[in-house]
């Protein structure tokens, strides 16, 4: 037993051991791991061990590729066999939609630098002889995928960590986490107390209960996951692994037989009420009834399974999360970190995950953009086990399904609704969901005014309505009213608030009361952590407005930098509704409703004032995300209905319509307004992202400034492209090729109804970001010509915004 370590990792599965290994490998040897039983005795020992790398984003795929890089060499490094077999993987397309999905994935892989070849059904069968080619339209071969022995791999990581000085304590159960002043101080175990600066909760399915010891909710549930192992029939163990998403099943070779598992449509949650304290090295009872439909589907792909002898049906619990991605990062308790919820790809992901976590702990941020995995993406609604369960259940049951762009999840809805939700429904709203909020995508009532001939080709046209174009045009020609109540609002107040924010923001925000500033908050590497507007409400009070999904993250980033309690950060999202009235006629519509002077001279662009709209007190903020004249009107929530009704009534004679988020997306693309999380991430600098105008290098010190200075001129920049075919829309991550070579990847795109063009944004080498450069974009296996454009495409003089 030890009484002190810099970091204590809880959990001796693949996750905990990988984090320990990487902490030690990156130079922190004063680290310890505590495991209540033996290493690998949680979910790890019963894993099927498949390692697939392709995910839907660069960062996630890169993390998986880092795993494979490690697995290739680890055995030799620590002198222990890991069972790594780089046999490749096959992913079958046995429907048209799955073939289209493969074409899309092949394009992603190209930009991620991951080898992937599209091959025929016969070629696939020559590599995986027992499969039938019935209905197979094609397959993707990923030669660097494979499988591994999960327990051996974990033991090898543990040995690698020990060799670098880390301590591993088995049969040591964590019974408490000591937290003082909201900071972790020690972990208490049944063998004694270990003082520490950091705790990493890598407790797998037990991570929820371990989190509670520190007062932290980890939103995951255990799902019973099953696979069968067949008796050897002489199959080669060097066959690639095989996935057939249309049949919801996967296979790999195992000692001359097969492992066959899958994702049932009727998932089975386990241990929701608590997990037995001795549930280690144990499995659940096989559930043949639940497995039968999968097994039948598997037989239709691998007919010899019908006669195969099943040696065993493994049924083991695995931690799944409400969106199917890992939960990583520091919690609201300083020093208490989480790395759990691996959703049946913990073996594939852990090698890279351990590296990411170790970098994050040691350097303060990881080298990859971890937003998709960041624990701060979950709001307080996930404290509910029941809500967590229904969201997770949906993810599990639809794991292998093709998700079209614009696909909306259904489980657990509606949860958070705007004060004028009933009005939206009456207007025929097509609702989407973001972070639990019901938000209007478009109003079907506007569809008649739209143009069906602008429907995009292919997938982009599936979940689409002519109403989107109608709302877009109304906003450009007259006005549109958008409900933005879900936007996250954070109030930062206190005597030192101005000084505090100046240290965090790259732009100058400590300006006159009423000034509105668009700014980024950078990390020490100069990457963009937050992208928001700051309104100075008083000498000692600022309102920060950020995206619906980003409030938790941005609030945590800001709080993390508080030195003491002289500055208060408060999430006031629920207090205020927000309606954005934008369009050339916005002033004509709003002016008669208020006694305040809305003229440009008195109420200039990027300024805010308290005004009354009728009897409703509003903070009117003259900003835009669509490139038109107008105001965001923030009112206390109880006034929202009255404000909405009076704005709708006042706008109607001017041709104003209510508009949804899909119209906003199209409008913002034409104006080149960036979206954090896709166009701009934690690994992009504001200069690379074309946001240099919002950086005041000369204002004095701010976080990230030194890194920007060191970086000098960017070698890559975000470029605006217009495709030659207006109906061919990009969906994200498509390759952008110059002279046949993929040099960039689409960050976002869509149709601009005013410029009548298919627009895409992509980072390209800086020398190519010159108007007129010809490139091509890979859209569903076709190369579509495109041109780099001068930005923005619409109203480059910004005349409308400043009208
Ligand atoms: C049937 C099945 C098949 C799978 N197939 C694959 C696959 O093919 N590919 C893939 O990538 N993934 C697969 N997975 C998923 C993979 O096995 C997991 O994601 C991974 O093993 C989880 O590792 P972990 O370290 O998070 O958790 P675990 O391995 O569960 O480790 C957590 C550890 O924490 C310990 N612990 C809990 N409470 C305490 C406490 N209070 N004090 C100290 N220690 C504590 C536990 O004893 C446990 O050892 C599969 C999972 C299942 C169930």
């Amino acid at each position: 037993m030890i009484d002190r370590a810099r970091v204590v990792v809880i959990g001796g599965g693949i996750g905990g051991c990988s984090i320990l290994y990487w902490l030690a490998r990156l130079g922190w040897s004063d680290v310890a791991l505590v495991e209540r039983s033996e290493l690998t005795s949680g979910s790890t020992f019963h894993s099927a061990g498949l390692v697939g790398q392709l995910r839907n984003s660069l960062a996630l795929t890169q993390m998986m590729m880092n795993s494979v890089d490690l697995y290739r060499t680890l055995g030799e490094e620590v002198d222990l066999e890991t069972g790594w077999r780089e046999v490749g993987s096959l992913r079958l397309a046995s429907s048209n939609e799955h073939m289209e999905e493969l074409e899309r994935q092949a394009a992603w892989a190209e930009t991620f630098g991951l080898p992937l070849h599209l091959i025929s059904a016969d070629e696939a069968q020559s590599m995986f002889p027992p499969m039938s080619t019935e209905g197979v339209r094609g397959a993707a071969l990923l030669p660097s995928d494979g499988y591994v022995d999960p327990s051996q791999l974990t033991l090898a990581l543990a040995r690698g960590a020990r060799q670098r000085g880390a301590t591993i304590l088995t049969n040591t159960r964590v019974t408490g986490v000591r937290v003082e002043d909201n900071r972790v101080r020690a972990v208490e175990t049944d063998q004694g107390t270990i003082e520490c600066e950091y705790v990493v909760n890598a407790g797998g399915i037990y991570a929820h209960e371990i989190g509670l010891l520190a007062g932290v909710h980890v939103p995951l549930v255990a799902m019973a996951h099953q696979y069968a192992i067949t008796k050897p029939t002489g199959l080669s163990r060097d066959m690639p692994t095989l996935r057939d998403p249309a049949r919801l099943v996967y296979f790999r070779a195992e000692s001359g037989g097969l492992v066959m598992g899958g994702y049932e449509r009727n998932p089975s949650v386990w241990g929701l009420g608590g997990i037995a304290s001795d549930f280690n090295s144990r499995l659940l009872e096989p559930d043949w009834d639940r497995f039968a439909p999968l097994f039948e589907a598997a037989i239709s792909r691998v007919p010899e399974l019908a006669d195969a002898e099943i040696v065993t049906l493994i049924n083991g619990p695995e931690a799944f999360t409400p969106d199917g991605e890992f939960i990583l990062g520091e919690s609201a308790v300083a020093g208490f970190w989480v790395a759990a919820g691996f959703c049946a790809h913990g073996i594939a992901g852990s090698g890279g995950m351990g590296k990411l976590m170790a970098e994050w702990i040691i350097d303060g941020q990881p080298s990859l953009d971890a937003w998709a995995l960041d624990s701060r993406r979950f709001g307080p609604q996930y404290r509910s086990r029941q809500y967590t369960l229904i969201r997770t259940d949906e993810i599990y049951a639809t794991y292998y399904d093709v998700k079209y762009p614009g696909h909306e999840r259904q489980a657990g809805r509606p949860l958070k609704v705007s004060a004028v939700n009933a009005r939206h429904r009456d207007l025929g709203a097509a609702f989407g969901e973001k972070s639990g909020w019901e938000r209007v995508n478009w109003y079907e009532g506007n569809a008649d005014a739209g143009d069906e001939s602008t429907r995009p080709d292919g997938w982009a046209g599936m979940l689409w309505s002519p109403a989107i174009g109608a709302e877009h045009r109304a906003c450009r020609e007259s006005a549109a009213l958008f409900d933005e109540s879900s936007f996250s609002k954070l109030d930062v107040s206190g005597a030192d608030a101005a000084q505090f924010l100046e240290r965090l923001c790259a732009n100058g925000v400590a300006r006159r009361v009423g000034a509105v500033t668009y700014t980024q908050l950078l990390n020490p590497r100069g990457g963009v952590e937050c992208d928001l507007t700051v309104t100075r409400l008083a000498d000692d009070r600022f309102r920060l407005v950020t995206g619906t999904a980003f409030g938790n993250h941005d609030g945590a980033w800001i709080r993390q930098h508080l030195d003491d309690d002289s500055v208060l950060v408060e999430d006031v999202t629920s207090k205020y509704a927000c309606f954005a009235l934008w369009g050339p006629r916005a002033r004509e519509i709003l002016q008669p409703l208020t006694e305040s002077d809305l003229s440009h001279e008195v109420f200039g662009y990027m300024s805010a004032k308290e005004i009354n709209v009728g009897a409703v007190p509003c903070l009117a903020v003259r900003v835009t995300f669509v490139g038109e004249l107008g105001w965001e009107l923030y009112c206390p929530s109880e006034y929202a209905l009255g404000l909405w009704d009076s704005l709708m009534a006042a706008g109607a004679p001017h041709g104003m319509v209510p508009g949804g988020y899909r119209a906003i997306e199209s409008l913002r693309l034409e104006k080149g307004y960036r979206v954090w999380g896709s166009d701009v991430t934690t690994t992009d600098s504001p200069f690379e992202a074309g946001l240099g105008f919002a950086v005041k290098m000369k204002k004095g010190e701010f976080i990230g400034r030194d890194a920007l200075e060191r970086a000098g001129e960017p070698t890559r920049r975000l470029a605006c492209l217009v495709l030659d075919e207006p109906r061919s829309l990009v969906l994200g991550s498509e390759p952008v090729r110059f002279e046949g070579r993929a040099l960039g990847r689409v960050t976002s795109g869509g149709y601009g109804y005013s410029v009548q063009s298919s627009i895409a944004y992509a980072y390209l080498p800086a020398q190519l970001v010159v108007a007129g450069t010809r490139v091509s974009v890979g859209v569903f296996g076709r190369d579509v010509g495109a041109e780099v454009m001068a930005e923005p495409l619409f109203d480059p003089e910004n005349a409308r915004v400043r009208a």
Side-chain angles (χ1 to χ4, degrees), residues 108-376:
W108 297 347
E110 180 185 353
T111 78
F112 301 161
L114 178 69
L116 185 155
H117 314 289
L118 291 179
I119 59 173
S120 68
D122 288 341
E123 284 171 304
Q125 199 212 14
S126 70
M127 292 177 211
F128 195 97
M131 78 169 240
S132 131
T133 54
E134 181 78 40
V136 178
R137 309 185 64 91
L141 168 68
L142 290 101
S144 59
D145 282 352
Y147 66 90
V148 70
D149 179 327
S151 292
Q152 284 298 112
L153 175 66
T154 305
L155 296 177
L157 287 165
R159 180 180 282 188
R162 276 202 197 95
Q163 285 172 348
R164 291 178 168 88
T167 305
I168 296 181
L169 302 165
T170 53
N171 296 303
T172 305
R173 180 185 300 269
V174 172
T175 52
V177 176
R178 197 182 328 133
V179 177
E180 288 161 14
D181 299 330
N182 198 43
R183 169 158 271 293
V184 132
R185 305 286 170 185
V187 294
E188 286 151 11
T189 78
D190 56 3
Q191 308 295 317
T193 298
I194 309 173
E195 294 192 353
C196 57
E197 294 165 42
Y198 302 87
V199 173
V200 184
N201 172 4
I205 57 170
Y206 321 87
H208 173 72
E209 63 187 52
I210 294 171
L212 293 182
L213 298 176
V216 170
H217 286 265
V218 183
L220 52 79
V221 291
M223 292 288 184
H225 188 70
Q226 303 193 94
Y227 63 85
I229 305 176
T230 67
K231 205 165 170 199
T233 52
L235 291 172
S236 162
R237 50 182 204 151
D238 288 331
M239 289 192 310
T241 63
L242 179 76
R243 292 177 182 80
D244 189 350
R247 285 173 170 70
L248 316 176
V249 291
Y250 59 79
F251 308 84
R252 78 161 168 84
E254 166 77 23
S255 312
L258 279 177
V259 157
M260 176 259 130
Y263 289 79
E264 302 93 337
R265 290 285 183 205
N266 54 340
S268 170
V269 66
W270 179 80
L272 201 59
I275 299 169
S277 60
D278 62 349
F279 192 86
N280 278 98
S281 305
R282 281 164 58 182
L283 291 168
L284 309 177
E285 278 300 307
D287 184 346
W288 274 105
D289 286 347
R290 194 160 57 84
F291 197 66
L294 284 185
F295 197 63
E296 272 166 36
I299 290 171
S300 69
R301 178 56 62 218
V302 178
E304 69 181 53
L305 270 179
D307 304 317
E309 194 178 320
I310 305 294
V311 180
T312 180
L313 178 63
I314 301 282
N315 187 5
E318 161 69 346
F320 277 81
T321 68
D323 63 2
E325 295 299 348
F326 294 14
I327 302 176
L328 305 182
E330 194 173 16
S331 70
V333 173
F336 189 86
W337 292 66
V338 179
F342 298 160
C343 307
H345 47 284
I347 306 302
S350 280
M353 178 282 299
K355 178 166 188 266
L356 184 151
M357 284 289 291
E359 288 171 347
W360 206 343
I361 292 170
I362 294 172
D363 301 336
Q365 75 262 353
S367 56
L368 297 175
D369 166 31
W371 169 237
L373 309 164
D374 194 316
S375 59
R376 293 168 292 190

Side-chain angles (χ1 to χ4, degrees), residues 446-456 464-471 473 727 751 753 756:
N446 292 327
D448 285 349
D451 179 358
E452 177 58 41
S453 74
T454 56
R455 181 181 289 275
W464 179 91
S465 164
I468 302 166
E471 292 163 16
R473 274 200 309 281
R727 297 275 85 73
Y751 188 68
Y753 291 87
Q756 299 184 5

